Amino acid sequence: MPTSQQLLLAATIVFVAAIVQALLALRAGAWKQARAQFVLIALGFVLQTGFIFLRGEEVRQCPLRSLPDILVFIAWSIVLLYFLVGSGFRLSLLGVFTAPLVTLMQGMAFINGFAPYPPKGPINALVELHIALALISYAAFALACITGVMYLVQERMLKRHHIGGLFYQLPPIHGLAQAIQRLVHLGLLLLSIALGISLALHLPMTKTGHVVFAWIVWGLYAVCAFLMWKHFTSPRRTAWLAVIGFILPFISLWIVTHA
């Protein structure tokens, strides 16, 4: 196994350890005193970064051309945004919900395997920026999905009067609804910039499948953002929109990379 994949395997194991640590801390009622979650996720992020760097050296270009590499890059972006927005949105326990998704995506990357890339001509930095921003926007939509799950879990606990350790560590439910909207807006902004770059580069939509699906994803989340902005949806429906909406960009990755 190449060194890059060893680092990714180590990162996946670290994220699994973060899940186990969080569950044990919540069960013991010592979550607020436990800092191991942050340390473990930070270590996993460092290992992910090492993989992306070494993988780029192996393929001699940005590793964004195959489904496994795209899954890892989105997983890396999710963790990056977790550090950038988690504290800003006061989303405690976001790491607990993030680590399983990151673990799943990296596991799927291993299952698909990391094949060598075909030779490529000169690299266009704007094209690479377009792809990277689009994938980071997908990571923002993924975090919105995770936050939506947090909202629905808390709402279910309230309805069933299951007030326990997990409930007390979740942010106020109205704060989760606001965070979902902000993450959708962030993802929409990043995707808009990426699509703006594609227009500047005159990328042909009919011959560039990923651009077509990016516009479809943009349209979906633009509608969702409008409905949220006009308060046409309840907080609960907003959460469901964020959760179900992520299905489209997630599936589009398979369609584009296998087309």
Side-chain angles (χ1 to χ4, degrees), residues 42-223:
L43 176 58
F45 178 75
V46 171
L47 292 170
Q48 284 178 314
T49 305
F51 164 81
I52 292 174
F53 174 79
L54 292 180
R55 178 65 174 162
E57 292 291 314
E58 291 173 4
V59 299
R60 299 191 178 279
Q61 56 184 286
C62 293
L64 300 174
R65 303 292 176 180
S66 68
L67 179 59
D69 289 314
I70 288 174
L71 288 172
V72 174
F73 186 83
I74 293 178
W76 176 85
S77 301
I78 289 173
V79 180
L80 175 63
L81 291 178
Y82 157 72
F83 286 119
L84 293 178
V85 309
S87 58
F89 292 165
R90 298 181 180 178
L91 296 180
S92 58
L93 286 188
L94 181 60
V96 177
F97 288 80
T98 299
L101 178 59
V102 171
T103 301
L104 174 63
M105 295 179 75
Q106 293 184 176
M108 294 169 65
F110 271 114
I111 291 173
N112 280 272
F114 295 93
Y117 283 16
K120 183 182 178 182
I123 295 176
N124 188 325
L126 282 179
V127 172
E128 303 300 330
L129 179 62
H130 155 71
I131 296 173
L133 285 176
L135 294 179
I136 295 173
S137 74
Y138 283 21
F141 296 142
L143 275 185
C145 171
I146 293 170
T147 309
V149 171
M150 293 171 67
Y151 180 97
L152 295 172
V153 167
Q154 187 171 16
E155 183 191 52
R156 185 178 181 86
M157 287 181 169
L158 286 170
K159 286 183 177 180
R160 297 197 172 190
H161 303 287
H162 289 167
I163 311 300
L166 176 62
F167 177 84
Y168 288 120
Q169 304 305 325
L170 286 167
I173 196 166
H174 67 275
L176 289 172
Q178 293 175 357
I180 293 170
Q181 295 182 40
R182 292 175 183 176
L183 286 166
V184 168
H185 292 156
L186 173 62
L188 195 58
L189 173 63
L190 293 171
L191 187 56
S192 297
I193 296 173
L195 290 173
I197 293 173
S198 74
L199 292 176
L201 292 170
H202 303 290
L203 296 179
M205 290 183 60
T206 56
K207 296 182 180 180
T208 313
H210 76 274
V211 176
V212 174
F213 279 100
W215 276 107
I216 294 173
V217 171
W218 184 91
L220 169 67
Y221 278 97
V223 171

Side-chain angles (χ1 to χ4, degrees), residues 10-22:
T12 307
I13 293 173
V14 168
F15 286 120
V16 172
I19 299 171
V20 174
Q21 183 278 329

Side-chain angles (χ1 to χ4, degrees), residues 237-259:
R237 289 180 178 176
T238 296
W240 275 113
L241 279 175
V243 173
I244 297 175
F246 186 60
I247 295 175
L248 176 60
F250 199 68
I251 292 178
S252 70
L253 296 175
W254 266 267
I255 298 175
V256 171
T257 54
H258 288 85

